[in-house]
Amino acid sequence: MIGVDVGGTKILSGVVDREGTVLEQSLVESPGTSEEDVVAALDAAVAELVDDRIGAIGFGVPANLGRGTGRVLRATNLPFDDFDLAGHARARFGLPVGVENDANVAALAEWKLGAGRGTSNLVVLTLGTGIGGGLVLDDRLYRGWAEIGHVVVQADGPPCQGNCHGHGHLEALASGTAADRAAQELWGDGADAHVLVDRARSGDEAARARLAAIGEFLGAAIGSLANLFDPELFVVGGGFGTAAGDLILEPAQEAARREALAPADKRLRLVPAELGAVAGLVGAALIGFEALDGAW
Ligand SMILES: [Zn+2]
């Protein structure tokens, strides 16, 4: 199976088996200038890996998709405009193709093969440059937008990122980019989220306080999500989420329990993601297996 994790700046493609083992992988820059260039780069990423072993192709794309159609409607960081990626790849490679939002596929991977194994209701948050989210509800991946990064956690708060014109969204206050900004406010332009996490781990009180504040915003969102979906588990991953770990998860869990209705206020749990940087790749491949098994 080929999985393709399409990022705003990089395309990670790989051959993955049903157990989620990555047998082969390749990382290339994604040219962000035109839809044609991105599609050509995706074709090349697949062509490099495709051979007789491959039964289908799955894509995880950082975009809003037409539900169940594989059409890429709009992406914050890529020049897609209502492109039929599933139809294109099917015609180009003659294989079944599945396409899903990148955060949704990461949620699928954590549910099937990672920190969420065995649960029926799960929310996965991916904290990186932006914030992605995915939901598993009653043993099914929710196929809607699940743009958890764009829930409001501070009314009239700071402007959001990228193409989003909202204010006080979780992504503006608890992403790796927000952590970069906090580090720069403390120590100037050269500092970033890595410095913030490193100094907090060495006991720097200012750094710990800024990460705790980020955790509080995360917890506000999670408390609200608990009140909507009452999941058994919240899984937090992504580059920044994984690096910051307990420094944000502990204050987030405390804040979330403050907001959640009983009995979620006592039992609500946050855990770190388990699949790391390959969650998107493995999840994309799982979408490919769904296509192979006739779910598309
Ligand atoms: Zn937003």
Side-chain angles (χ1 to χ4, degrees):
M1 186 63 43
I2 290 179
V4 186
D5 179 15
V6 185
T9 56
K10 296 200 163 51
I11 298 168
L12 177 63
S13 56
V15 178
V16 181
D17 70 14
R18 270 195 195 265
E19 284 69 50
T21 309
V22 179
L23 306 170
E24 217 179 301
Q25 59 178 303
S26 142
L27 184 68
V28 296
E29 300 291 321
S30 100
T33 45
S34 74
E35 187 174 276
E36 276 166 25
D37 288 349
V38 175
V39 172
L42 294 178
D43 284 350
V46 173
E48 190 185 329
L49 298 169
V50 77
D51 62 24
D52 293 348
R53 293 172 297 174
I54 305 303
I57 306 163
F59 291 91
V61 187
N64 298 130
L65 302 177
R67 235 160 139 167
T69 65
R71 293 190 79 90
V72 182
L73 301 179
R74 186 198 64 89
T76 312
N77 298 305
L78 287 169
F80 280 116
D81 182 16
D82 195 13
F83 180 72
D84 182 9
L85 179 58
H88 166 82
R90 222 177 272 133
R92 170 80 170 71
F93 295 103
L95 292 168
V97 174
V99 180
E100 191 41 85
N101 172 273
D102 63 338
N104 286 2
V105 305
L108 180 65
E110 286 293 340
W111 173 46
K112 294 268 188 191
L113 300 165
R117 282 188 308 275
T119 60
S120 293
N121 294 280
L122 172 73
V123 175
V124 178
L125 293 110
T126 309
L127 277 53
T129 309
I131 293 184
L135 307 168
V136 173
L137 301 174
D138 297 332
D139 290 308
R140 292 173 63 122
L141 178 69
Y142 172 67
R143 301 283 179 170
W145 286 7
E147 291 282 2
I148 296 171
H150 300 279
V151 301
V152 177
V153 289
Q154 187 182 62
D156 295 325
C160 200
Q161 304 180 176
N163 295 338
C164 179
H165 51 65
H167 286 79
H169 291 184
L170 183 63
E171 180 163 306
L173 293 159
S175 60
T177 311
D180 286 342
R181 217 164 29 239
Q184 284 152 15
E185 281 165 21
L186 288 172
W187 305 299
D189 283 350
D192 63 9
H194 296 283
V195 175
L196 188 68
V197 170
D198 284 349
R199 293 200 183 170
R201 292 219 184 282
S202 336
D204 184 303
E205 283 305 323
R208 294 183 78 88
R210 296 306 286 261
L211 286 168
I214 285 173
E216 295 252 336
F217 284 120
L218 181 64
I222 285 176
S224 299
L225 291 166
N227 293 343
L228 284 174
F229 302 113
D230 184 30
E232 295 146 77
L233 201 61
F234 289 87
V235 176
V236 178
F240 168 64
T242 301
D246 282 351
L247 292 165
I248 56 170
L249 292 187
E250 282 176 8
Q253 179 160 302
E254 209 171 292
R257 287 185 172 193
R258 271 202 311 273
E259 306 305 336
L261 298 171
D265 57 347
K266 301 269 184 332
R267 67 174 189 217
L268 178 158
R269 280 196 307 138
L270 270 68
V271 298
E274 286 181 5
L275 298 179
V278 296
L281 173 61
V282 170
L286 291 176
I287 291 290
F289 281 112
E290 286 190 355
L292 181 65
D293 297 340
W296 281 72

